[in-house]
Amino acid sequence: QVQLVESGGGLVQAGGSLRLSCAASGRTFMSYAMGWFRQTPGNEREFVAVITWSGGSTYYADSVKGRFTISRDNAKNTVYLQMNSLRPEDTAVYYCALRPGPSIVTAKSQYYFWGQGTQVTVSS
């Protein structure tokens, strides 16, 4: 099994920044991708960003491109989501997820392991 623990959420004013962290432990894989998703009440969980662990390739949802940056620290088995220029519409519970394999994948159904989520609230 894989355990994912998110941290770093909170309340911030519009235009501000937050950095989310996701620490992974447990079973290891030769290659995998880690993604960030977010969800608001009554809505589907949506893709935000993904990074491959081996090559560091990244991909972002159009809604966050240019404002959010995903990165990883292999030594710490941790992935980060730096969120700048936050908007009220970024308010959501943010989840990290892990998918074995080297590919960039945005479909949530393809991710097998999930964290418990961390709340991000952006006030106007």
Side-chain angles (χ1 to χ4, degrees):
Q1 273 291 45
V2 172
Q3 292 78 43
L4 302 174
V5 179
E6 301 103 333
S7 61
L11 173 64
V12 64
Q13 288 188 333
S17 299
L18 281 175
R19 188 177 81 156
L20 306 183
S21 301
C22 176
S25 62
R27 181 181 175 183
T28 58
F29 300 91
M30 290 297 292
S31 64
Y32 54 96
M34 290 191 72
W36 285 97
F37 292 77
R38 64 187 182 186
Q39 188 171 21
T40 54
N43 292 308
E44 293 285 328
R45 192 169 298 186
E46 66 174 8
F47 167 78
V48 175
V50 59
I51 187 167
T52 60
W53 210 254
S54 55
S57 298
T58 60
Y59 186 77
Y60 298 89
D62 288 343
S63 58
V64 306
K65 202 172 295 182
R67 300 187 298 122
F68 291 11
T69 302
I70 190 170
S71 62
R72 76 210 191 283
D73 184 330
N74 290 3
K76 295 182 178 180
N77 287 330
T78 299
V79 64
Y80 304 97
L81 186 68
Q82 178 66 44
M83 305 185 294
N84 298 328
S85 302
L86 282 161
R87 305 166 180 168
E89 54 264 39
D90 294 318
T91 295
V93 177
Y94 283 71
Y95 298 88
C96 71
L98 185 148
R99 177 187 183 279
S103 304
I104 293 284
V105 173
T106 63
K108 59 182 182 293
S109 62
Q110 298 299 308
Y111 286 78
Y112 304 150
F113 304 100
W114 292 84
Q116 81 288 352
T118 185
Q119 176 71 48
V120 171
T121 303
V122 184
S123 63
S124 57

